Amino acid sequence: MKIRIGQLHIALALAAALLVCLSALPAAAKPASDWTRTEFADLRLVSAVGGTQGRTDVPLGLEFRLAEGWKVYWRSAGDAGYPPQVTWDGSQNLAGAETLYPVPHRFSLFGLETFGYKDQVVYPITAGLARPGEPLRITAQVNALACSEICVPLDATLSLDLPAGPAEPTAYTQLLNRWTAQVPRDLPGVGLDVVAARASGDPASPTLVLTVAASDPIGALDVFPEGPQGLSYGKPEITLSDSGRSATVRVPVGARGDARLDGADLRLTLVDGARFVERPVTVTAGAAPAGSTDLWLVLGFALLGGLILNLMPCVLPVLSLKLVSVLEYGGAERGAIRHGFLASAAGIVASFLLLAGILAGLKTAGVAVGWGIQFQQPLFLAAMATIVLLFAANLWGWFEVALPRALADLGGRLPAEGGARGRGLVGHFLTGAFAALLATPCSAPFLGTAVGFAMARGSAEIVAVFAVMGIGLALPYLAVAAMPSIARALPRPGGWMIAFKRVLALALLATGVWLLTVLAAQIGQTGALVLGALFLASAVVLALLHRRGRGGAGLTGAALLVTVLAVAGLMPAPEGPGYVAESAGGQSVVWTGFDRAAIDRRVADGEVVFVDVSADWCITCKVNKRLVLEVEPVSALLTGGSVTPMQADWTNPDPAISDYLASFGRYGIPFNAVYGPGAPDGIALPELLSAEAVTEAIGTAAGADSTARLDSSANRPM
């Protein structure tokens, strides 16, 4: 019995000694801080090793466990929030700490894009030792933001001690390894890469266009761009190729202050399921050359483009007005000629300044703007058609309106049969202004560059460029004003002038019919027929009033204008696609509807795409079709199956088409571009097409491997 009691004493002594030993090793037993607990998130600091022996740094982790519906943030939080901030004041033997960030999730809410983590996340931290192998005492002051429907700041002080003992794995090693493996890095062999990065569109609100290639088909790709200051990034639009091994990613970018996307150095995080990678890229400039063009050079382009506009098909509707302006001055005094042509030139410049003011105001309000957009408005077209009819009636001698006395004192009346001698400066001014408005539905060489530069800049540049463009269009008038002898050499007005004016009136009537056909595409054929009937009835009334020598022509014209505008404003827009199939020479060009995403898919699959941006009101567009696109050899390429013809109809406002034009620095039409394996970003063609320019661009876009196929399709018997 005594022996048993002695054995019991020994056992108790051994147990007490064991307890003392265990209490002396707290750090090795628990390489983690205590939890800091809140209603919506718990957080703590953990270590993957139990000691510092043989190490220059130790792997730590800041762990969050979040309530349902709550999240914390990635290093770039997005449109709201901020990542956890940690200060290490009070720590001992700590040389520095680097926080890593696992692959984030995207959260989209009310148009805001934020990036972070839900449920659970461990931020890996590499803690460097000031004295390797010695004990480490960590004191971490953590400030984080947890968000659900509301956001709540989190503040916690976390402490962790590691002894100078063996750096053996702990209970948290696998947890840290799992989250560390989810940190994207710039490493090869991931099977996901960025092939190209470029800026597209207006520098004030550009688009980041990325080309991504993958070794295996892409599943659920997402891209998280970062940097520099002043740029923010929206939700990407991703277009996959048919094979799924490449994608075009378009990311809307917000630019503040002087920040610019082109030339910027970015850090991209690409995530596709279990694949993720980080890539540094430098964004190249987009296709538009106007963004960096010198202002004085652009003003030179504007002057030259305005002058060339006098020779473009778009000015055909106003040819009658120009001829009348010149012929009325036959044998007139030099002073009268000079003053009249200066007044017409002033009217042209004033119209351009009016357009500049409207466009600058719309751009400031955030509305998509462009050259010739006034022809997308039914009320503008209706007003122009009415004024054209009244001008035609005036040339027939049926219609004449006396100006208010204040304006009459400047010289008089709107165009009348009396010629220049019965026509005041205000009449010439208004004729020039009207002619300028009708001459601006289409672009011209050099004009696209100038307009693109202006639209990408501010209001001052828009006004300056448009003013110089107006001067360019008015140069022929200014030339006659400088040399009145040109007009004096013409025959004096007489009986022949009355007959000639009536012939020109027929040309104006043709212009009115054209405007009605354009209007029909916007308000429907029924609305256009109603307006046509109104015009016909008004013409009959004006003719009867003229024959009976009664007044009231001015009142009739005003009533007609008000009625036409009311009808045009009430008519609904027609439904249906905005593109049609064109045909010529026995070959039908079947145009596919414009789809920006489809272009990228087709090009990724090796196809060539020809894009034509057109409108019913664009006469130069129709000339390009009749003379180039619908005749050999271009028509053979577009109908041979080797090229996909795609048409964007800009007759009515369309933000997608406006954005597409802006991606090339263009804001007017006609516009054509060719895409293919050899030119994935597109080759912009000149405003006036030629068969040589189109076929050369198609060959370049097709690339060397596809040239023979194109040639064979072009030579295929029809």
Side-chain angles (χ1 to χ4, degrees):
M1 189 72 178
K2 291 181 180 179
I3 296 175
R4 290 182 180 177
I5 293 174
Q7 291 175 341
L8 179 59
H9 289 168
I10 294 172
L12 290 173
L14 291 173
L18 180 60
L19 288 174
V20 171
C21 292
L22 290 175
S23 64
L25 299 171
K30 188 184 178 184
S33 71
D34 294 330
W35 283 103
T36 294
R37 301 186 184 276
T38 68
E39 182 181 347
F40 37 83
D42 301 336
L43 65 155
R44 66 176 176 177
L45 201 61
V46 299
S47 174
V49 296
T52 63
Q53 182 178 320
R55 300 191 65 94
T56 58
D57 57 56
V58 294
L60 307 178
L62 179 60
E63 180 182 5
F64 286 81
R65 292 183 181 177
L66 300 155
E68 184 176 357
W70 290 81
K71 62 179 178 286
V72 289
Y73 292 96
W74 189 49
R75 66 174 175 238
S76 293
D79 293 327
Y82 58 85
Q85 309 291 323
V86 183
T87 58
W88 307 94
D89 298 342
S91 299
Q92 298 177 13
N93 196 28
L94 180 66
E98 179 187 7
T99 302
L100 304 178
Y101 296 85
V103 171
H105 299 281
R106 178 184 295 274
F107 302 96
S108 300
L109 182 65
F110 302 121
L112 298 177
E113 302 295 315
T114 57
F115 319 126
Y117 313 93
K118 62 181 182 178
D119 299 332
Q120 182 193 24
V121 63
V122 177
Y123 296 91
I125 299 172
T126 301
L129 299 176
R131 297 177 299 280
E134 294 188 14
L136 173 66
R137 170 163 289 184
I138 292 291
T139 301
Q141 289 83 31
V142 180
N143 173 253
L145 188 68
C147 292
S148 179
E149 295 179 355
I150 62 172
C151 291
V152 179
L154 286 173
D155 291 295
T157 299
L158 307 176
S159 299
L160 184 149
D161 292 324
L162 293 179
E168 296 177 349
T170 69
Y172 311 104
T173 302
Q174 291 186 359
L175 175 70
L176 259 174
N177 288 345
R178 187 169 69 249
W179 284 97
T180 302
Q182 296 182 49
V183 175
R185 291 180 170 85
D186 185 12
L187 297 174
V190 177
L192 200 62
D193 209 348
V194 179
V195 177
R198 65 179 177 88
S200 174
D202 188 341
S205 56
T207 298
L208 174 63
V209 182
L210 305 172
T211 303
V212 177
S215 57
D216 297 318
I218 295 171
L221 179 66
D222 204 349
V223 178
F224 303 91
E226 300 174 79
Q229 284 289 101
L231 297 181
S232 58
Y233 303 91
K235 188 174 183 178
E237 173 191 326
I238 299 172
T239 304
L240 296 178
S241 66
D242 289 344
S243 66
R245 287 183 167 82
S246 65
T248 299
V249 181
R250 298 178 178 276
V251 184
V253 180
R256 299 186 301 275
D258 296 330
R260 292 183 65 88
L261 178 62
D262 53 301
D265 293 323
L266 306 184
R267 175 163 58 172
L268 302 178
T269 299
L270 283 69
V271 182
D272 180 36
R275 294 186 295 185
F276 42 84
V277 69
E278 184 178 288
R279 288 287 185 261
V281 299
T282 299
V283 181
T284 61
S292 59
T293 306
D294 181 77
L295 176 61
W296 292 107
L297 180 60
V298 169
L299 293 179
F301 287 161
L303 184 68
L304 187 57
L307 178 61
I308 296 176
L309 194 60
N310 284 284
L311 305 175
M312 297 294 288
C314 294
V315 304
L316 294 178
V318 296
L319 183 60
S320 298
L321 299 177
K322 291 191 173 192
L323 287 175
V324 169
S325 297
V326 175
L327 293 175
E328 285 179 338
Y329 280 101
E333 296 294 330
R334 290 179 178 271
I337 296 173
R338 180 174 289 111
H339 293 155
F341 276 88
L342 285 176
S344 296
I348 292 173
V349 176
S351 280
F352 273 80
L353 289 175
L354 175 63
L355 285 174
I358 294 173
L359 292 174
L362 292 175
K363 186 174 185 293
T364 302
V367 179
V369 295
W371 173 255
I373 60 170
Q374 68 269 23
F375 281 83
Q376 296 175 340
Q377 305 303 320
L379 293 179
F380 175 85
L381 288 171
M384 289 295 102
T386 304
I387 295 173
V388 163
L389 173 65
L390 297 179
F391 263 106
N394 170 261
L395 291 178
W396 275 85
W398 296 349
F399 179 70
E400 182 178 341
V401 177
L403 294 170
R405 181 172 299 277
L407 294 180
D409 291 342
L410 292 176
R413 297 177 294 138
L414 281 170
E417 282 192 272
R421 294 163 181 77
R423 180 179 181 179
L425 297 181
V426 175
H428 289 292
F429 178 90
L430 295 179
T431 301
F434 179 66
L437 288 177
L438 271 183
T440 56
C442 300
S443 185
F446 301 103
L447 213 59
T449 300
V451 173
F453 176 91
M455 297 302 180
R457 300 302 177 94
S459 299
E461 287 86 352
I462 293 177
V463 172
V465 168
F466 272 68
V468 174
M469 284 165 50
I471 293 173
L473 184 62
L475 278 179
Y477 292 87
L478 296 174
V480 176
M483 294 180 290
S485 56
I486 297 176
R488 291 195 72 207
L490 295 172
R492 292 179 178 272
W496 69 273
M497 186 73 167
I498 297 175
F500 187 69
K501 282 174 136 185
R502 289 176 177 172
V503 173
L504 295 180
L506 296 177
L508 281 179
L509 288 176
T511 301
V513 173
W514 167 67
L515 288 171
L516 280 178
T517 62
V518 176
L519 195 58
Q522 300 183 0
I523 65 173
Q525 291 185 355
T526 301
L529 289 174
V530 170
L531 294 182
L534 281 173
F535 289 151
L536 183 60
S538 299
V540 172
V541 170
L542 291 173
L544 290 175
L545 290 174
H546 173 72
R547 173 171 291 185
R548 296 179 181 180
R550 295 182 180 179
L555 183 62
T556 302
L560 173 64
L561 180 59
V562 172
T563 305
V564 165
L565 293 180
V567 172
L570 292 175
M571 286 294 176
E575 297 181 357
Y579 58 94
V580 296
E582 303 281 357
S583 63
Q587 301 184 44
S588 177
V589 179
V590 181
W591 295 94
T592 302
F594 177 74
D595 184 343
R596 186 65 186 83
I599 296 175
D600 297 326
R601 288 196 299 269
R602 291 178 180 274
V603 171
D605 292 334
E607 297 184 32
V608 176
V609 180
F610 180 90
V611 176
D612 173 48
V613 185
S614 182
D616 288 345
W617 41 262
C618 177
I619 299 179
T620 307
C621 302
K622 297 182 182 298
V623 171
N624 281 337
K625 282 190 174 68
R626 296 291 184 267
L627 300 184
V628 179
L629 301 182
E630 297 174 1
V631 297
E632 297 282 359
V634 176
S635 62
L637 291 172
L638 298 182
T639 58
S642 57
V643 178
T644 299
M646 186 176 288
Q647 186 173 87
D649 190 338
W650 209 34
T651 301
N652 297 314
D654 189 327
I657 297 176
S658 299
D659 292 343
Y660 173 71
L661 290 171
S663 70
F664 282 88
R666 300 287 185 89
Y667 294 84
I669 56 176
F671 177 77
N672 300 92
V674 185
Y675 297 81
D681 293 334
I683 301 172
L685 295 173
E687 286 87 349
L688 290 177
L689 296 180
S690 66
E692 293 77 13
V694 174
T695 55
E696 181 181 352
I698 291 176
T700 301
D705 296 338
S706 304
T707 302
R709 178 166 54 87
L710 287 172
D711 291 340
S712 64
S713 67
N715 295 324
R716 186 182 302 155
M718 300 304 293

